[in-house]
Amino acid sequence: MSKAFTRETDGGDDDDDIALPPLPVGGKNYITPQGYARLRGELLTLIDDERPKVVETVHWAAKNGDRSENGDYLYGKKRLREIDRRIRFLTKRLEVAEVTDPSVHHGGEQVFFGARVTYADDDGAERSVTIKGIDEVDNRQGEVSWISPIARTLLRARVGDVLQLPTPAGVKEIEVLAVAYPAPAGPA
């Protein structure tokens, strides 16, 4: 039997659900147009550029003889599994994505998806967060997922509202100070 069609195992590292942020059951996967474009770009790069290069390397390495001691072959097969796993993940996420443009709320004072919200906690400390999709959040930029506790507390609130934020240390009061949205894109 040819080894080309047998499954290799590396200790069960092929799980599809490793480090996947959960989506709410029956919910939508909201994402900004920029986040959608970034994920789609990553998917196309994997399919059109990275995967063919790795397939070519694995094909070349397979022709070199003993595969059990062939580092190029073993690493290439592992990398191919990683790429395929990421392609499946991105494809599933993009299929259920609901692109929502936050600029339609530009100038509004109510908090919706995509808002940059400045709030003060009960200690008087001011913080700003931007509410974004699960797959596009960058915590270093002050972005939070729309399903996070702070975002769920802020959604639908207005400037001046005092809200109850549940935290592990107990309930904190926060006051919404400002709400901002990106300006709508001008005509192209």
Side-chain angles (χ1 to χ4, degrees), residues 3-14 58 67-68 73-78 81:
K3 285 181 111 180
F5 298 105
T6 61
R7 181 176 176 98
E8 296 178 8
T9 58
D10 292 344
D13 68 333
D14 229 7
V58 168
R67 295 177 186 168
S68 65
Y73 178 80
L74 296 174
Y75 174 75
K77 291 290 284 186
K78 183 177 181 181
R81 284 192 302 272

Side-chain angles (χ1 to χ4, degrees), residues 4 55-67 70 72-73 77:
V55 167
E56 185 178 324
T57 302
V58 168
H59 178 72
W60 169 81
K63 290 192 299 187
N64 288 338
D66 187 10
R67 295 177 186 168
N70 189 331
D72 288 331
Y73 178 80
K77 291 290 284 186

Side-chain angles (χ1 to χ4, degrees), residues 31 33-48 90 94:
I31 192 167
Q34 298 82 7
Y36 186 86
R38 185 180 56 76
L39 289 181
R40 189 169 186 279
E42 180 184 350
L43 176 63
L44 294 176
T45 299
L46 287 172
I47 292 171
D48 296 338
L90 290 171
L94 290 172

